[in-house]
Amino acid sequence: WAKETIIPKILATSNHPNYLYRMTTVFAFKAIASSINSQVVEELLLPCLESLAHDRIPNIRFNVAKCVWELVEKPKGSQSDAAVRVKQVFKGLLQEMQNDSDHDVQYFSRESLAKIEAFEHEGGAMTEEPA
């Protein structure tokens, strides 16, 4: 239901010229993180976040860095193939964001990357993928 109803509406705000709409996209992704699975993150949210990670507004970029951690930790099926792929893409994105010109983006990228690496070290097991 969320994949067909809610997520398309959230994605529509990601390209809005007003940065507050784009910020709302990031906050909405964080809000739904525990209600979706890693496959949805990979298919729908990841491409959008990769784009927003390069937004011209630093506040959007550092909120993307913060959101990425939520989308690794909270979705169902953290041991699935999709979750592994999502983690790898997000880790690469966060490593790239550590070289951002904005210090807050650098800081939150380092923080999220450290959390993801600790999560992996602990086994990264959350909940199972829904049947």
Side-chain angles (χ1 to χ4, degrees):
W1 178 81
K3 185 177 176 180
E4 295 172 8
T5 308
I6 301 296
I7 294 175
K9 291 179 183 182
I10 296 170
L11 291 171
T13 65
S14 69
N15 293 317
H16 199 279
N18 185 321
Y19 85 96
L20 293 173
Y21 283 81
R22 298 190 310 275
M23 187 76 79
T24 300
T25 302
V26 178
F27 292 148
F29 287 167
K30 284 175 68 172
I32 65 169
S34 62
S35 300
I36 58 176
N37 62 41
S38 297
Q39 184 177 355
V40 171
V41 173
E42 180 181 35
E43 291 174 11
L44 301 174
L45 280 57
L46 185 114
C48 180
L49 286 168
E50 286 180 305
S51 175
L52 289 171
H54 299 96
D55 196 277
R56 60 184 170 79
I57 306 292
N59 284 14
I60 292 175
R61 297 194 309 269
F62 79 66
N63 276 291
V64 167
K66 291 164 60 174
C67 178
V68 162
W69 159 242
E70 303 280 335
L71 292 171
V72 167
E73 178 200 29
K74 291 186 178 178
K76 296 170 175 65
S78 66
Q79 296 295 335
S80 69
D81 290 342
V84 171
R85 288 188 300 269
V86 165
K87 278 187 242 179
Q88 292 307 320
V89 171
F90 281 157
K91 284 172 64 175
L93 184 63
L94 290 169
Q95 288 167 345
E96 178 185 330
M97 292 174 77
Q98 288 180 34
N99 298 319
D100 194 276
S101 60
D102 185 87
H103 294 293
D104 290 330
V105 175
Q106 294 172 13
Y107 172 79
F108 287 112
S109 298
R110 281 192 304 272
E111 288 288 306
S112 288
L113 186 58
K115 288 178 182 178
I116 291 170
E117 289 172 348
F119 182 69
E120 287 179 321
H121 182 70
E122 294 169 5
M126 293 302 290
T127 56
E128 292 302 313
E129 194 79 38

